[in-house]
Amino acid sequence: MYGELVPVGGGDPIPLLEQRLRLGRREGCDIVLRYANISSHHGLLEIDEGYWFIKDLNSSNGIKVNGRRIMPGTRKRLDPGDKVTFAKHEFEMAYEPHKLGAVGTPPQDEQLDQVFGQTLLQRAGLDKNRKRS
């Protein structure tokens, strides 16, 4: 096991059994969240250099990390204890990076690299008519 997603407010933790997991409402996803406001393919969790990262797969209701929405198509590092929200469903990341092979400085997000290449509406996820970079 590579860690857990622990529901904030109670519920059974979701074990992270693979190094790459697709999360969504569809039965074919690795982690199935059966809620109407979760997209069929909502997000992608994957380990890189011993750390979990989340990528929003252009979901309708977005993904937030510690209360801040991430841009669709970019990866955001999830540190142990971070709160990740899929639509309105919040979880806490529970894992130990050193047990997953982490050494040295944690890898950076793609999030910071792409901020300046988008308009404010695109960054907020409100510009549905324009192509995202």
Side-chain angles (χ1 to χ4, degrees), residues 66-78:
N66 297 324
R68 297 186 67 181
R69 187 172 179 143
I70 65 170
M71 291 182 286
T74 60
R75 290 183 343 148
K76 172 79 175 116
R77 190 179 69 238
L78 298 171

Side-chain angles (χ1 to χ4, degrees), residues 82-116:
D82 277 354
K83 302 282 193 295
V84 59
T85 307
F86 306 101
K88 302 263 184 211
H89 310 280
E90 188 175 36
F91 297 86
E92 182 177 326
M93 284 300 297
Y95 73 101
E96 297 178 50
H98 69 277
K99 288 186 177 179
L100 303 180
V103 278
T105 306
Q108 277 200 315
D109 315 317
E110 292 174 0
Q111 186 83 12
L112 296 175
D113 299 338
Q114 296 186 10
V115 166
F116 297 107

Side-chain angles (χ1 to χ4, degrees), residues 33-98:
L33 297 177
R34 293 178 182 91
Y35 300 104
N37 60 350
I38 297 289
S39 295
S40 56
H41 295 151
H42 203 94
L44 180 68
L45 285 162
E46 60 187 342
I47 296 174
D48 185 6
E49 297 182 40
Y51 288 85
W52 279 103
F53 282 79
I54 185 71
K55 183 176 186 177
D56 186 334
L57 299 176
N58 295 314
S59 64
S60 298
N61 293 310
I63 297 173
K64 292 180 182 177
V65 175
N66 297 324
R68 297 186 67 181
R69 187 172 179 143
I70 65 170
M71 291 182 286
T74 60
R75 290 183 343 148
K76 172 79 175 116
R77 190 179 69 238
L78 298 171
D79 293 325
D82 277 354
K83 302 282 193 295
V84 59
T85 307
F86 306 101
K88 302 263 184 211
H89 310 280
E90 188 175 36
F91 297 86
E92 182 177 326
M93 284 300 297
Y95 73 101
E96 297 178 50
H98 69 277

